[in-house]
């Protein structure tokens, strides 16, 4: 698998999230047009990501997190001075 | 305390401050990382409250081990704390799923499907069934594949970051991701072709 092919997974998942720059998108499409193996990989990856992707974090989740006030209760820590 | 910008203290400086008794330092670390930790654990939770529980557990577990782990950690190395916290979070999520296997495997078929259909619950049942299949497929990955997949897909980290968190090479992270995707595709079968 070439270096170009290896970058594909990252670029495809970025595209799904609308994070791909137009320059990267052009590069990705040009590569896919000429690489059958990557087209197949891409189809598989897209299908898997579509199946496993979670919905965006909801307001309810953020509120539950906020109301927990996790940062306000630091756990006790055994002191040690052995820093590197 | 400023948490962003060039003058923001590093995670490692905040860990040192926390261990020196600065109570605000822990809060600053939580504020900085809780969204990413939430992204990593929420797949394994049924409710927003359970997600928040898992985030809390991740921070507490990471810091409870502080006396043992942090001194050995190379805190001079940027990203050491974040890598530790994210590894803990991935495992907290996974362990929660494992501990909850009993309820997760309760068959959907045991529910009254006719009643469900008439009250418009079919879609919800299908979604729940799908969620279980995905979880089972993720459970079947090797530990390393699951870690890479969770950090990349749920955490949305670039491969370079995934590699840094797990202490592996970037190429190795890509290979694990590639195998994870292939395995998920096989396990999920028709689910991924919908």
């Amino acid at each position: 698998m070439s270096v170009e092919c290896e970058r594909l997974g990252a670029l495809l998942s970025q595209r799904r999230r609308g994070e791909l720059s137009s320059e990267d998108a052009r590069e990705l499409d040009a590569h896919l047009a000429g690489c059958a193996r990557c087209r197949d990989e891409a189809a598989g990856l897209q299908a898997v990501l579509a199946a496993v992707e979670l919905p965006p974090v909801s307001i309810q989740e953020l509120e539950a997190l906020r109301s927990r006030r996790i940062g306000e209760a630091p756990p006790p820590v055994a002191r040690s001075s052995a820093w590197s | 305390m400023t948490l962003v910008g060039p003058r923001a203290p590093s995670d490692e400086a905040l860990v040192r401050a926390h261990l020196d008794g600065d109570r605000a330092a822990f809060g600053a670390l939580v504020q900085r990382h809780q969204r990413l930790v939430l992204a990593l654990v929420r797949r394994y939770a049924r409710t927003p409250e359970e997600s928040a529980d898992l985030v809390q557990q991740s921070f507490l577990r990471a810091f409870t081990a502080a006396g043992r782990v942090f001194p050995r950690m190379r805190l001079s190395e940027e990203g050491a704390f974040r890598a530790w916290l994210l590894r803990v979070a991935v495992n907290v999520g996974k362990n929660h799923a494992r501990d909850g296997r009993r309820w997760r495997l309760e068959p959907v078929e045991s529910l009254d499907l006719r009643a469900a259909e008439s009250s418009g619950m079919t879609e919800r049942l299908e979604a729940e069934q799908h969620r279980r299949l995905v979880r089972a497929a993720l459970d079947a990955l090797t530990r390393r594949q699951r870690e890479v997949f969770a950090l990349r897909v749920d955490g949305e980290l670039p491969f370079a970051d995934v590699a840094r968190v797990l202490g592996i090479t970037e190429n190795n992270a890509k290979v694990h991701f590639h195998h994870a995707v292939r395995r998920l595709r096989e396990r999920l079968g028709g689910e991924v072709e919908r």
Side-chain angles (χ1 to χ4, degrees), chain B residues 112-171:
Chain B
D112 185 342
L113 288 177
R114 269 180 307 181
E117 276 168 28
S118 65
S119 61
M121 276 178 64
T122 313
E123 290 84 0
R124 284 175 59 192
L125 287 172
E126 280 176 0
E128 178 57 24
Q129 183 77 315
H130 173 79
R131 220 156 64 101
R132 290 179 189 195
L133 283 171
V134 168
R135 280 186 180 178
L138 289 169
D139 275 351
L141 298 179
T142 66
R143 177 179 173 152
R144 190 56 101 199
Q145 287 169 355
R146 180 175 42 78
E147 288 171 339
V148 168
F149 196 81
L151 290 167
R152 174 70 200 125
V153 175
D154 295 337
E156 299 182 39
L157 299 186
F159 279 113
D161 243 14
V162 172
R164 205 170 303 129
V165 168
L166 297 175
I168 58 179
T169 66
E170 191 174 335
N171 199 44

Side-chain angles (χ1 to χ4, degrees), chain B residues 30-58:
Chain B
V30 170
Q31 196 182 329
R32 185 177 282 174
H33 296 294
Q34 64 180 355
R35 283 293 294 268
L36 181 52
V37 171
L38 174 66
L40 292 175
V41 300
R42 62 194 285 263
R43 181 178 293 283
Y44 302 100
R46 288 170 300 176
T47 63
E49 287 69 31
E50 209 171 271
S51 291
D53 269 350
L54 294 178
V55 173
Q56 187 165 28
Q57 267 183 49
S58 299

Side-chain angles (χ1 to χ4, degrees), chain B residues 34-89:
Chain B
Q34 64 180 355
R35 283 293 294 268
L36 181 52
V37 171
L38 174 66
L40 292 175
V41 300
R42 62 194 285 263
R43 181 178 293 283
Y44 302 100
R46 288 170 300 176
T47 63
E49 287 69 31
E50 209 171 271
S51 291
D53 269 350
L54 294 178
V55 173
Q56 187 165 28
Q57 267 183 49
S58 299
F59 278 100
L60 292 181
R61 208 160 285 183
F63 278 83
T64 301
R68 177 173 50 83
V69 175
F70 292 172
R72 287 208 307 271
M73 198 182 274
R74 293 166 63 196
L75 284 174
S76 52
E77 188 183 301
E78 201 184 321
F81 167 77
R82 181 171 176 266
W84 163 249
L85 174 67
L86 298 186
R87 281 200 301 270
V88 169

Side-chain angles (χ1 to χ4, degrees), chain A residues 1-80:
Chain A
M1 187 178 269
S2 71
V3 173
E4 190 65 14
C5 295
E6 283 179 4
R7 289 180 54 222
L8 197 69
L11 292 184
L12 283 168
S13 47
Q14 281 172 354
R15 171 177 273 174
R16 276 195 64 77
R17 296 177 188 281
E19 295 169 351
L20 202 58
S21 70
S22 52
E23 192 185 335
D24 279 344
R26 272 197 302 274
E27 199 184 341
L28 176 61
D29 289 334
H31 179 77
L32 288 175
C35 181
R37 182 178 169 178
C38 280
R39 278 200 301 277
D40 181 56
E41 290 290 328
L45 176 61
Q46 294 287 49
V48 166
L49 291 178
V52 305
E53 211 165 48
L54 295 172
V57 172
S58 67
I59 303 279
Q60 290 80 2
E61 281 173 289
L62 290 177
E63 275 173 1
L65 189 59
R66 217 168 289 133
S67 68
R68 196 59 56 102
R69 299 175 187 274
I70 298 168
E72 292 176 19
V77 175
R79 295 284 306 277
S80 172

